[in-house]
Amino acid sequence: MLTILRYVMEKLGINIELLLKSLDPLANIRNLDESEQQVICYCLLAYSRPQIAELVNLSELQIRDKLSHYIYPKIAELMGVEQTEIANNWAKILNFLLDPNQVYKLYPSPQLNSDNFQASFGRQSFLYPPNQEIVKLQTQAINFYQSGRYYEALKYFLMAWDQEIKIYGRGNPEILIYINNSLIEHKRNKFPEKNIKIYNIAVVVPFYHNLGQVSAEILRGISQIQLQVNWENFKNLGLEKEIDLNSIKPNVFSTLISSQVLLQILIVNDPNNLYTPYNQTAEKLAALAKELNLMAIIGHYSSEMTKNAFQFYADKSLVLVNACSTSNELADLSLMSFFRLTTPDKINAKRLSDYLGSKIAGREQSKIALIYNHNSLYCQSYRNSIKRHLESYQEKVIFLEECGYINESYYQVQEYIETIQRAGVDMIIIIPDGGLQPNSLNNAGLISRLNLNKCLIAGTATFYQENVLHWIHEQSQYQNFNQDHPQIIASIPWHWHSEQNGCNSENIIAQYFCKLGTQLWGEENLNWRSATAFDAVLIILKVIEKYHSKNSQDLLEHMDQYFKYQKRKIRGVTGDIQFEKTGDRINPPTEIVAVKWNSPQQKWQWTI
């Protein structure tokens, strides 16, 4: 119980202990028992009811009864509202608790380091599961790593990995990275005599965004290619004979490069704060790059942070490979050290507008609403692009008043949605920001309260989140949703079932990506952020393989020559990869996916 309380405090910045204490005397109902306290924690963390049922060892019916009879009455009295206003609406409850005027908001948000820079090869962990036994193993491994006892660290990281696979059916990508890093440190003196070179790459991810889910998705792609590249050298050194590595041993194997290369990954947390005057994370990482022997940087997640960070890396001759940022303005960087794997807004918006256009063509007229964050560079970029494309349909389209404040109060967004419902909206285009302001994604959950059989919801790549599925699952118990006819769609760069680059496509790299991903994370738990992150490392490796780059300056020059002047093309998980001189990708991929009901698995899922 203590572990889940700490997890809520660290991830959400909520004084959960004070909240639980405040709830006990309310509503003339007995004090909450431990299982009910746990249910509150998991609901705040956006776990689905089936997940909660498994974690607290209760049936979904028991959880529903506890919520209705004990939990909601107390929370409603605390908030001073009717129970019907907050029942099944954890976004509203969370917004109340995160209000700076409330005593439950921890301010400032918890920071692991006082100087706002958090980075680790294995000395600290950012992704903790709710299970206390696994946390203990991770903590012990970290302690050993900090003291330079890499063999012991490796053993405990492996135990943590095994336990997570056993309990949750999938591994923790951060731990897999630390297993690889520990193996490298443990046998570091053996590699020079075998002519095996170690390359250090930093990946910058936003652990505070969406409870670390986005970071985990990115790190799955990073850790998977690290294992795939490193494993052959681990095997050649006979490490399997002295250390039991069966739990991470790839069941399928595909050689990506022929060079004797080992990858060591530095994980860096980006606070992803829109209002930071400048990006301290990027500045400090760039300053430490030489000392840490960094060859390249992969990041950042949001377009705003990428734009702010770029110059710090360019000044130190560091290549910045971006896997997630999409703003059109990033093309203006136009310098030799920038490469972007994902699809710019102008292209993604064109693909989405073409899809919407096919729907508009069959109607006499369509009323369209736009919901976005006007403070976000990315949101503005996407909004401008898609509106420009849709305006070509002229008299067939009526744009309703826009909502540029998805990041603001829940009540404001709720009022806007009620207004456009009364206006008879046919399509809603929703553009959450990249985690710069938490309310943006939380308020996106309001879409689950719409009558989805009458209104098409179209989202961007930032809308492609597990949260959306959880919200739909919750509301589908009370609303009559059409399980076969998709009413929620999104435009993204890659999907597991892509005809061109998915698990059953002719793309061999993608086939092995999905097969190994199934072993490590479970089937279909790799998404577009995982795929573009994998390819971000792959393009670096291909250049290292050809030129044997010795340092970051060499790599910068070699990547510029290879991709921007020689116009070389490589095959990745997301298809053919080739770059313009601006660093933008030539013919980047796009896929339209929809939320549909999976009958065999009894769940909602994003699918082609």
Side-chain angles (χ1 to χ4, degrees):
M1 183 60 187
L2 288 175
T3 302
I4 188 62
L5 293 179
R6 186 176 67 181
Y7 193 77
V8 171
M9 294 176 77
E10 289 180 350
K11 294 298 180 182
L12 299 182
I14 292 172
N15 191 336
I16 188 67
E17 292 177 334
L18 178 60
L19 172 64
L20 297 175
K21 186 177 180 181
S22 301
L23 292 176
D24 273 341
L26 298 179
N28 294 318
I29 300 172
R30 64 161 175 79
N31 291 351
L32 299 174
D33 62 29
E34 183 171 322
S35 67
E36 289 154 359
Q37 293 177 352
Q38 288 179 302
V39 168
I40 291 175
C41 292
Y42 289 122
C43 284
L44 287 170
L45 291 166
Y47 282 70
S48 65
R49 281 200 187 171
Q51 290 175 312
I52 297 172
E54 184 176 350
L55 289 165
V56 300
N57 198 26
L58 294 171
S59 68
E60 289 190 55
L61 181 60
Q62 287 174 308
I63 290 174
R64 187 185 68 183
D65 289 343
K66 285 181 178 292
L67 286 166
S68 300
H69 298 148
Y70 303 105
I71 296 173
Y72 288 143
K74 288 178 178 288
I75 294 177
E77 183 172 328
L78 178 70
M79 294 175 64
V81 298
E82 294 295 325
Q83 182 173 332
T84 54
E85 291 185 44
I86 53 96
N88 303 309
N89 193 344
W90 286 92
K92 184 172 184 177
I93 296 169
L94 185 60
N95 285 341
F96 169 81
L97 297 173
L98 289 173
D99 188 331
N101 295 321
Q102 296 295 331
V103 295
Y104 308 106
K105 167 70 175 174
L106 289 173
Y107 188 83
S109 297
Q111 296 288 335
L112 296 176
N113 289 17
S114 60
D115 62 358
N116 201 32
F117 179 73
Q118 304 118 43
S120 173
F121 283 111
R123 297 175 64 86
Q124 70 181 90
S125 195
F126 301 101
L127 294 175
Y128 283 102
N131 183 276
Q132 189 172 7
E133 292 304 311
I134 300 176
V135 171
K136 288 179 180 177
L137 293 171
Q138 280 184 232
T139 302
Q140 188 62 56
I142 289 164
N143 291 338
F144 281 130
Y145 198 101
Q146 288 175 347
S147 61
R149 297 164 65 181
Y150 300 116
Y151 178 77
E152 292 99 320
L154 169 62
K155 298 291 282 188
Y156 275 88
F157 279 133
L158 282 166
M159 286 189 281
W161 170 267
D162 292 343
Q163 277 294 96
E164 198 139 353
I165 292 284
K166 180 180 177 182
I167 294 172
Y168 301 109
R170 64 184 183 189
N172 179 338
E174 181 188 25
I175 297 306
L176 184 57
I177 287 171
Y178 292 161
I179 288 170
N180 275 266
N181 290 352
S182 297
L183 272 167
I184 290 172
E185 293 295 349
H186 174 50
K187 290 295 183 180
R188 182 173 286 273
N189 63 335
K190 297 287 185 182
F191 301 130
E193 62 190 51
K194 299 289 185 179
N195 293 318
I196 299 172
K197 185 167 176 57
I198 302 168
Y199 289 91
N200 293 348
I201 296 174
V203 55
V204 187
V205 288
F207 283 103
Y208 296 153
H209 174 40
N210 200 13
L211 310 178
Q213 289 185 41
V214 165
S215 297
E217 291 162 3
I218 295 168
L219 291 180
R220 283 177 197 143
I222 299 289
S223 60
Q224 189 165 314
I225 192 169
Q226 182 192 29
L227 176 65
Q228 196 168 339
V229 170
N230 289 357
W231 184 260
E232 195 159 4
N233 286 312
F234 291 158
K235 184 176 65 174
N236 291 340
L237 286 171
L239 296 186
E240 287 181 277
K241 297 176 182 178
E242 60 177 276
I243 304 168
D244 184 3
L245 299 175
N246 282 327
S247 60
I248 66 165
K249 180 180 180 179
N251 291 337
V252 295
F253 192 80
S254 172
T255 301
L256 293 174
I257 59 171
S258 58
S259 299
Q260 291 184 296
V261 167
L262 283 172
L263 282 179
Q264 194 164 31
I265 304 295
L266 176 71
I267 299 175
V268 184
N269 178 39
D270 185 358
N272 209 33
N273 189 339
L274 180 64
Y275 300 109
T276 301
Y278 60 93
N279 197 318
Q280 270 187 300
T281 299
E283 182 182 28
K284 294 184 179 181
L285 181 58
L288 287 169
K290 187 173 182 179
E291 180 182 346
L292 297 174
N293 296 315
L294 295 180
M295 293 292 289
I297 313 294
I298 295 172
H300 293 223
Y301 176 65
S302 69
S303 297
E304 291 81 1
M305 295 300 102
T306 300
K307 185 176 182 180
N308 291 345
F310 174 76
Q311 197 57 50
F312 292 115
Y313 304 132
D315 289 345
K316 299 292 184 180
S317 297
L318 287 163
V319 172
L320 177 62
V321 182
N322 187 274
C324 299
S325 301
T326 63
S327 172
N328 295 330
E329 290 191 31
L330 296 182
D332 295 336
L333 296 179
S334 303
L335 292 173
M336 59 192 294
S337 58
F338 181 68
F339 296 84
R340 173 158 57 171
L341 267 295
T342 195
T343 309
D345 293 338
K346 60 185 178 182
I347 297 174
N348 206 320
K350 175 67 165 59
R351 177 74 174 90
L352 184 59
S353 63
D354 286 346
Y355 178 89
L356 296 178
S358 68
K359 303 296 181 184
I360 292 169
R363 301 176 180 178
E364 185 176 332
Q365 202 168 57
S366 293
K367 295 180 180 179
I368 299 178
L370 281 158
I371 303 178
Y372 63 100
N373 180 357
H374 70 277
N375 291 328
S376 165
L377 176 73
Y378 156 72
C379 290
Q380 289 187 46
S381 170
Y382 203 102
R383 176 260 182 200
N384 294 340
S385 292
I386 198 160
K387 192 167 184 180
R388 183 169 59 252
H389 289 304
L390 290 175
E391 281 172 346
S392 64
Y393 292 92
Q394 298 174 350
E395 70 277 357
K396 277 186 167 287
V397 169
I398 296 176
F399 285 103
L400 300 178
E401 182 181 351
E402 298 177 8
C403 170
Y405 44 86
I406 191 175
N407 55 303
E408 297 290 345
S409 162
Y410 165 91
Y411 298 103
Q412 288 180 270
V413 182
Q414 167 87 359
E415 183 179 353
Y416 173 80
I417 288 180
E418 291 172 354
T419 299
I420 61 176
Q421 279 185 292
R422 289 193 295 269
V425 65
D426 299 303
M427 298 180 182
I428 298 176
I429 300 168
I430 186 164
I431 314 169
D433 60 57
L436 300 172
Q437 297 179 300
N439 279 1
S440 181
L441 184 57
N442 294 335
N443 285 337
L446 289 168
I447 57 97
S448 67
R449 303 185 65 189
L450 296 172
N451 186 338
L452 299 178
N453 292 319
K454 295 181 180 178
C455 181
L456 177 65
I457 311 297
T460 59
T462 52
F463 185 64
Y464 183 93
Q465 304 274 357
E466 285 291 316
N467 307 55
V468 174
L469 305 180
H470 297 164
W471 293 324
I472 298 304
H473 175 84
E474 190 76 25
Q475 290 298 313
S476 65
Q477 299 175 63
Y478 310 100
Q479 296 184 31
N480 183 25
F481 286 176
N482 188 325
Q483 296 182 345
D484 300 316
H485 186 59
Q487 292 297 321
I488 302 177
I489 65 165
S491 180
I492 60 175
W494 181 88
H495 189 273
W496 183 281
H497 292 296
S498 163
E499 291 184 7
Q500 290 76 33
N501 299 304
C503 61
N504 296 317
S505 68
E506 295 181 359
N507 183 343
I508 301 299
I509 304 293
Q511 287 180 28
Y512 279 100
F513 176 72
C514 293
K515 288 176 182 177
L516 182 53
T518 299
Q519 175 191 339
L520 298 174
W521 328 114
E523 189 173 359
E524 296 189 45
N525 281 319
L526 289 169
N527 64 19
W528 74 264
R529 299 177 186 92
S530 314
T532 53
F534 184 101
D535 283 349
V537 179
L538 182 61
I539 67 168
I540 295 171
L541 287 172
K542 288 295 186 181
V543 172
I544 288 175
E545 178 183 39
K546 179 174 177 59
Y547 294 101
H548 305 287
S549 312
K550 295 180 180 178
N551 52 47
S552 61
Q553 176 70 52
D554 281 353
L555 181 65
L556 183 150
E557 294 174 9
H558 295 154
M559 288 191 69
D560 188 61
Q561 286 293 322
Y562 187 82
F563 286 115
K564 295 185 179 180
Y565 286 92
Q566 296 176 22
K567 294 292 183 183
R568 299 291 291 272
K569 176 168 46 176
I570 70 166
R571 188 75 159 164
V573 172
T574 58
D576 289 337
I577 302 170
Q578 195 175 15
F579 294 96
E580 305 278 4
K581 288 189 177 181
T582 62
D584 271 344
R585 188 168 169 179
I586 297 173
N587 298 321
T590 58
E591 301 279 355
I592 297 293
V593 295
V595 174
K596 296 180 184 177
W597 177 252
N598 185 318
S599 294
Q601 297 182 30
Q602 289 293 292
K603 68 177 185 179
W604 296 93
Q605 65 178 182
W606 290 102
T607 187
I608 295 288

